[in-house]
Amino acid sequence: MNDQEYMQLAILEAKKAEQLGEVPIGAVIVHQDEVIASSFNLRESLQTTASHAELIAIDKANEHIGSWRLEDCTLYVTLEPCPMCAGAILQARIPRIVFGAYDQKAGCAGTLMNLLEDDRFNHVAEVNGGVLEEECGQMLTDFFRNLRKKRKDSRL
């Protein structure tokens, strides 16, 4: 499979989040051409700060590998990682990150800053952004548009 095909799997995860009323962000972790973990945002359902798709997927991958080190893995995520997730990616030693939509408000893989490729850290990750960007971004745009409409309609 290639980056676009793995990103399609992350998009399917994001759609699961959307069905639960969560922000539609999905993540997939691949090790040696095998998907070893996948997840989606659960912050509203779990009411925990760290319930981002990337962090849940990292935990699942750690369990699968049997180590906190996720070397030789690639993380696919539909939205550019935030500072919290970028930090976890570095700590997990994931060498390659592929994301869909850029995040103008919290993106830390190139938009606001690039924590993942900052050589001041003891680990850096290769970043490839904008994979299926339009589809990933449109999911988020539609989700927030519908959310605003529901809120407006409930006030009428």
Side-chain angles (χ1 to χ4, degrees):
M1 290 179 66
N2 62 32
D3 286 349
Q4 289 78 15
E5 291 168 314
Y6 286 122
M7 187 60 72
Q8 283 291 345
L9 296 177
I11 289 169
L12 291 175
E13 291 297 311
K15 289 179 180 180
K16 292 176 187 177
E18 187 171 29
Q19 290 172 350
L20 296 174
E22 295 280 351
V23 177
I25 301 170
V28 172
I29 297 179
V30 175
H31 179 256
Q32 298 176 349
D33 300 321
E34 175 192 354
V35 175
I36 61 167
S38 60
S39 190
F40 49 88
N41 263 17
L42 285 170
R43 194 163 59 169
E44 295 302 323
S45 298
L46 298 178
Q47 288 296 303
T48 57
T49 304
S51 297
H52 286 201
E54 301 96 309
L55 297 181
I56 296 168
I58 287 170
D59 284 345
K60 288 179 178 182
N62 292 146
E63 189 173 323
H64 180 87
I65 298 274
S67 173
W68 62 270
R69 292 178 182 266
L70 298 178
E71 299 164 328
D72 302 319
C73 289
T74 299
L75 169 68
Y76 294 87
V77 61
T78 56
L79 183 65
E80 180 180 3
C82 72
M84 176 176 65
C85 292
I89 289 163
L90 290 174
Q91 291 298 315
R93 306 298 194 265
I94 299 173
R96 184 166 182 263
I97 313 308
V98 178
F99 70 85
Y102 288 84
D103 186 349
Q104 301 302 317
K105 295 181 180 178
C108 285
T111 298
L112 298 180
M113 64 183 64
N114 192 340
L115 293 175
L116 297 173
E117 294 181 313
D118 189 327
D119 61 9
R120 293 176 293 176
F121 291 112
N122 64 338
H123 174 76
V124 295
E126 173 191 338
V127 176
N128 183 9
V131 174
L132 301 182
E133 178 180 4
E134 189 173 322
E135 187 174 350
C136 292
Q138 193 62 53
M139 251 190 328
L140 290 160
T141 299
D142 292 346
F143 175 81
F144 285 112
R145 181 182 299 122
N146 291 335
L147 187 63
R148 285 189 298 275
K149 184 180 180 332
K150 285 180 189 175
R151 286 182 180 156
K152 182 180 175 186
D153 290 348
S154 71
R155 286 184 259 154
L156 296 177

